[in-house]
Amino acid sequence: MTEAHGIVPQLLHRSLEQIVGQPLRAIFPIPRVEEFINGFRQVLASGVAREMEYPILFGTIDATWIWQRATPVAGTLVVDIRDLTAQRRAEVRQAAADQQFDILFKHSPLPIILHAPDGRITDANQAFATLVGDTRQSIETKRIQEFLDEPVGIPASGEPVRRLLTLADESRHPVVLHIDQLPHGYSLVAIRDVSANEELERVRTHSDLALRESEARFRSAFEQAGNGMALLSPAGQVIGVNLALASMLGYDLDAAHALTWRDVLHPDEHDSVAINLARVSRGEAESTRAERRGVHRDGSTVWMQVTVSGVRTGTGAPAHLLAHIEDITERKRLSAALRDSEEQLRLALTVTRDGIWDYRIPEGRSYTSPVFRTMLGYAPDLGFTQDDFIALVHPDDRQRVVDTQQRHITVPQMDPYDIEFRILRADGGYAWIRSRGQVVERDPRGQALRMIGTHSDVSERRILEEQFRQAQKMEAVGKLAGGVAHDFNNLLTTITATTELLMQDLRPDDPHRDDVLDIALAADRAKTLTRQLLSFSRQEVERLVVVELDAVVERVRPLLQRLVAAEQQLVVQATAPNAWVECDPGQFELALLNLVANARDAMPDGGAVTVRTDVVVLRPDDLLALPQLSPGRFVTVSVRDTGLGMSEEVQRHLFEPFFTTKPQGKGTGLGLAIIYGFIERMHGAVLVRSAPNEGSSFTLYLPAVAVPSVSRHDTPATTRAVSRGQERRVLIVDDEATLRRTTRRLLERKGYQVVEAGNADEAIAVLDAAPVGSIHIVLTDQAMPGRTGRQLVQEVSMRFPDIRSILMSGYTGDHAVRKALGGSDGETTFLPKPFTIDELTAALEA
Ligand code: ADP
Ligand code: MG
């Protein structure tokens, strides 16, 4: 370089010295410097000036843009240089900005459009296309105003404007437009979709409304509720009450608002209400509920169910207390009425002494009313298992109870549950229970779930029934025995009378005397037997006599001795001298005979039987075993053996007529039944003690008679000499010809004259036909076909007052006959059959 001026040194960042005289290559740090130098050479060679632009790089920092024009001037080149850097930089920057804008425009999530001065959209970004749901190409043919509900002013005022943007699907979105002015009348429009915000806003506004609405609703519910309501401050001040509450208490609404809760609640409630309110307002309880006694304006009591709960607006203690008040006065009254009727039911059940049971079948448990348990003597409690219950049932009844129950549970309409059974009492005895019930609940498959019923104690009725059955049995036996005994007595009368006749005819040394004596003895025993039969049937006339018991025992001793077997020992301990009783001695003897006979039968392998008499004084405590007696003095006779003893089962049936464990022909089962009946009639009792293989003892208790009255001992009247017999004529009336004949022979032997009649009518006919005074005595049987002996006697005494009547009989109704006659007509004599000659003559002579 030969010369340099102006800005050259500055441009090249060198001093002039460093530039002038230096080759160009060294001075210009430019790319392709060879090209640059060649350019200069061409200008020189061609002589044509040339302009060039190029950047000069100094390091890497920046470029300096140079414009130069090389002009050849006389073999040298004059180069004019300008610095274009600033200009170029502006250009570059503009280009970059354009590029950035493009990128932003294209990729911005904000919908943007470029708006031309003619009103067309020249460019729209993807976000806008997406927002309106259209393609960019189609958008770029439209005007912005086409999308808006209302035109926007372009150029813009500078303020964002809100418009509704119509989308391709015709829906409208609220948007806010930010419009910016560009050069040459262009505008940039950025669009903010505010629909989401507005929705939010809308929701917010709406929920405000809702809250207001719910408040309104609450208020109307509060005011119009059928139940009473009150709103209280946490401190318990009344903020509001509703009409229902006001009228419940007899106030109008305004008056009610002036009240405090203390004004309307009974003073007794105040403390507990205050505590409850405090608990809820402190948040210790969500709510409280209680029955309260309110006071009506007129002073009457209003029962109220009061529920107080806290009203919270956020977390923490309630802002208000809401009291909900129900008038339960009527309910209270009803439940009191219900309690009354329950009480009535309970009382009714107590009075009837019926128990209730409630059997929950799947649980296998029964619940019983206390009465049921107390009925049996157990402590009353709630329930017990079915097994417990079944275990209480008498073993003999158990299966029947289980079966009946089961059948009812399975087929209730066929098998009603109504059953009587025995159940164990606490005292060890059994009570008869009648249990009636019904299944009251079933599951959907028909399985029984629950059964309810009653229990009644029917023991008393059962005992009565049992006694009645026993009495009926006795009656039947009695009739039978009476019938047999009647015929028997007739036969015996013949036998005894005939043997007596025989004996009188036999010489003292006659070899047949003993035989006849045996017949007489046997007849005597048979006579006792028929008397016993009749006594058992209570048809025999009892001859009550005061006797000394030891004397009777001693008298019967030889008979007892004859009863026992050789290998058996009889011990008689008559140790109660001066112990007197009033009884029929014949029956008493019979009882002893029976007891000893039983003892004999119980000792097949030998042993001892002890008969012993005693006097005892029974005190109330002693009567447990002898409940039929009253305290006092008793004479006892016991028969104790060392035999086989008896099981409990045998002891239970011992006194039943016809109960026997002996083989047929040996036992009749009547012995103890007769004893029982006899002792009972004597106001005594029989005590049995026995156990298997431990022997038995039977003790007869008879009330002691303090002082033996004048002896009415029934020893037959001794035979008196008969002298007047010959002058007397007797009419015998009896339907039994044999008996008539025997009696006739007896009487004739005694010197009487005899006429006979077969029945009452015949007898009357005989009397009518006979001359007056020719018949002195009528001896008639009681039981006859046609009119009875008694009826005959009555007619005779009326029509023939001079004729004496004697009524013979061995059975039914004799007692009544004797009583009736004895009461109305002392003339009639009674003669029990069978009779001896002595007895007969005694009656005739009486
Ligand atoms: P019978 O002697 O005809 O059988 P009872 O009425 O006298 O009739 O007695 C009834 C039953 O009582 C007897 O069959 C016997 O089983 C029982 N019994 C009575 N006394 C005794 C006794 N002393 N020892 C054992 N068993 C007795
Ligand atoms: Mg017997």
Side-chain angles (χ1 to χ4, degrees), residues 118-168:
D118 64 359
R120 274 177 211 288
I121 294 169
T122 54
D123 208 346
N125 70 354
Q126 187 54 47
F128 184 78
T130 308
L131 173 61
V132 296
D134 206 343
T135 63
R136 284 173 72 194
Q137 288 92 317
S138 126
I139 288 165
E140 279 161 17
T141 62
K142 293 179 179 161
R143 290 153 188 276
I144 177 69
Q145 309 293 7
E146 290 175 39
F147 289 98
L148 301 175
D149 59 334
E150 221 181 293
V152 285
I154 293 178
S157 62
E159 289 293 306
V161 286
R162 186 186 175 278
R163 291 288 182 276
L164 289 176
L165 187 72
T166 306
L167 309 184

Side-chain angles (χ1 to χ4, degrees), residues 593-595 597-599 601 660 662 666-672:
L593 282 166
N594 264 323
L595 290 176
N598 282 346
D601 294 344
T660 178
K662 296 173 190 172
K666 266 217 98 184
T668 61
L670 282 175
L672 289 175

Side-chain angles (χ1 to χ4, degrees), residues 54-277:
Y54 54 87
I56 305 170
L57 291 171
F58 300 96
T60 56
I61 300 165
D62 208 350
T64 302
W65 278 96
I66 301 291
W67 174 89
Q68 67 185 18
R69 187 168 67 218
T71 314
V73 177
T76 60
L77 282 178
V78 176
V79 180
D80 189 9
I81 292 175
R82 281 183 217 159
D83 184 354
L84 287 178
T85 305
Q87 194 185 330
R88 286 286 172 265
R89 276 201 188 148
E91 284 169 12
V92 167
R93 210 172 291 136
Q94 181 63 48
D98 284 355
Q99 208 183 346
Q100 279 171 5
F101 172 79
D102 274 353
I103 291 168
L104 277 174
F105 180 82
K106 242 186 241 153
H107 299 298
S108 168
L110 192 68
I112 304 170
I113 54 178
L114 205 56
H115 202 254
D118 64 359
R120 274 177 211 288
I121 294 169
T122 54
D123 208 346
N125 70 354
Q126 187 54 47
F128 184 78
T130 308
L131 173 61
V132 296
D134 206 343
T135 63
R136 284 173 72 194
Q137 288 92 317
S138 126
I139 288 165
E140 279 161 17
T141 62
K142 293 179 179 161
R143 290 153 188 276
I144 177 69
Q145 309 293 7
E146 290 175 39
F147 289 98
L148 301 175
D149 59 334
E150 221 181 293
V152 285
I154 293 178
S157 62
E159 289 293 306
V161 286
R162 186 186 175 278
R163 291 288 182 276
L164 289 176
L165 187 72
T166 306
L167 309 184
D169 64 4
E170 306 279 289
S171 70
R172 293 183 151 203
H173 267 222
V175 289
V176 171
L177 307 175
H178 297 265
I179 305 169
D180 277 299
Q181 205 127 14
L182 293 179
H184 316 299
Y186 281 86
S187 303
L188 189 69
V189 183
I191 298 147
R192 205 150 51 80
D193 181 353
V194 295
S195 58
N197 292 4
E198 290 199 353
E199 179 62 22
L200 222 92
E201 182 69 12
R202 203 183 60 72
V203 167
R204 236 191 59 216
T205 317
H206 182 80
S207 63
D208 267 7
L209 264 173
L211 190 65
R212 271 200 298 280
E213 224 171 84
S214 82
E215 270 173 12
R217 267 206 300 273
F218 169 76
R219 194 167 301 119
S220 93
F222 182 85
E223 282 162 3
Q224 277 148 43
N227 282 324
M229 287 200 178
L231 196 63
L232 308 174
S233 76
Q237 256 152 349
V238 177
I239 298 169
V241 297
N242 70 352
L243 190 62
L245 179 56
S247 53
M248 188 186 296
L249 295 164
Y251 295 92
D252 65 31
L253 203 50
D254 286 342
H257 272 102
L259 297 167
T260 72
W261 59 261
R262 287 177 203 272
D263 296 332
V264 294
L265 286 176
H266 190 276
D268 288 355
E269 305 280 3
H270 290 182
D271 290 348
S272 112
V273 169
I275 289 169
N276 275 359
L277 288 177

Side-chain angles (χ1 to χ4, degrees), residues 453-507:
T454 59
H455 267 136
S456 341
D457 189 337
V458 293
S459 307
E460 230 164 85
R461 199 202 72 209
R462 274 278 173 168
I463 290 167
L464 282 176
E465 277 178 4
E466 191 47 51
Q467 282 175 350
F468 181 65
R469 251 199 305 281
Q470 185 80 4
Q472 273 186 323
K473 226 184 208 175
M474 291 292 210
E475 167 120 9
V477 173
K479 281 212 173 93
L480 192 73
V484 173
H486 171 244
D487 290 340
F488 226 72
N489 274 344
N490 286 340
L491 299 175
L492 280 175
T493 306
T494 308
I495 294 169
T496 44
T498 317
T499 42
E500 275 191 64
L501 289 174
L502 255 177
M503 278 298 267
Q504 284 175 6
D505 287 352
L506 289 175
R507 276 173 282 110

